[in-house]
Amino acid sequence: MTKQYALSAETRDRAGKGVARALRREHKIPAVIYGDNKEAETIALPVKEVTLEYHKGHMYTNLCDLTVNGKKQLVLVRDVQLDPVKDAVLHVDFMRVTPKTTIVVHVPVHFKNEDKCPGVKAGGSVTIARHDLELVCRATDIPEEVVVDLSTANIGDPIKISDVTLPAGTKSGYQRDVTIASIAARLMAGEPLSNF
């Protein structure tokens, strides 16, 4: 079951840049809810609560119990717009979800057993190509992580998505067998990188 957090919001009647600026002056963040064959809803969220949840780093993979004017909806964040200078949240897009909703999400990758990895023991190092993986799953079953076991990887070995046991109920969102990491040989001082 996907983890959840809660937010409260209020509806807003108008949209546009002027309205958005006015909301931000009131310490509110403009947002929109769409999906589930219903009309899009424009809402305003409290800056503090949204900023706290955003900085926890889970908004794209955890469901939100969003209460709008006393009515609860189950939603998932699909986009967060940030101020390019201040890194502050400017706007949030939520998608309504149900247990039947299938979505594409990016799930973080965690590596284990680096200390037991034969390639690392032989002087190699882990080169990470992807810090998260695109997976297809039900909105209510988003995994927290994909675990990659390095205990059998040797120098020169690529670790591809087909080598990893994906969490139950998920499948790869890629059209090909992507490389997640590899075990690279360490260069000695003075050794040329390669012949390009």
Side-chain angles (χ1 to χ4, degrees), residues 30-181:
V32 65
I33 309 168
Y34 63 87
D36 199 24
N37 297 317
K38 295 175 185 169
E39 263 190 55
E41 219 178 324
T42 53
I43 59 170
L45 299 154
V47 167
K48 184 180 176 185
E49 286 83 344
V50 173
T51 302
L52 283 170
E53 293 298 342
Y54 177 76
H55 288 294
K56 288 179 186 175
H58 61 72
M59 286 183 92
Y60 290 102
T61 55
N62 286 8
L63 295 177
C64 175
D65 273 321
L66 183 61
T67 304
V68 182
N69 296 344
K71 183 185 168 190
K72 270 191 182 182
Q73 301 184 56
L74 192 61
V75 296
L76 181 68
V77 169
R78 296 312 273 167
D79 188 41
V80 176
Q81 293 170 20
L82 298 174
D83 184 294
V85 177
K86 299 176 187 173
D87 210 31
V89 177
L90 295 178
H91 190 277
V92 183
D93 287 1
F94 292 99
M95 182 178 81
R96 296 180 191 98
V97 296
T98 70
K100 293 180 180 178
T101 307
T102 300
I103 54 166
V104 177
V105 288
H106 287 264
V107 177
V109 176
H110 289 280
F111 296 89
K112 70 173 188 177
N113 294 326
E114 188 173 344
D115 57 329
K116 296 175 185 172
C117 176
V120 171
K121 284 182 176 180
S125 63
V126 180
T127 303
I128 298 170
R130 295 179 186 274
H131 292 277
D132 59 50
L133 291 176
E134 187 177 279
L135 300 180
V136 179
C137 62
R138 295 214 182 269
T140 50
D141 293 318
I142 301 170
E144 282 186 61
E145 63 182 11
V146 175
V147 177
V148 176
D149 187 353
L150 299 172
S151 61
T152 60
N154 291 297
I155 289 177
D157 285 355
I159 297 140
K160 296 187 171 278
I161 198 165
S162 60
D163 302 323
V164 176
T165 303
L166 295 176
T170 69
K171 64 181 183 180
S172 170
Y174 301 102
Q175 298 297 315
R176 57 191 174 82
D177 194 11
V178 297
T179 300
I180 303 168

Side-chain angles (χ1 to χ4, degrees), residues 6 14 89 194:
R14 296 175 297 128
V89 177
S194 64

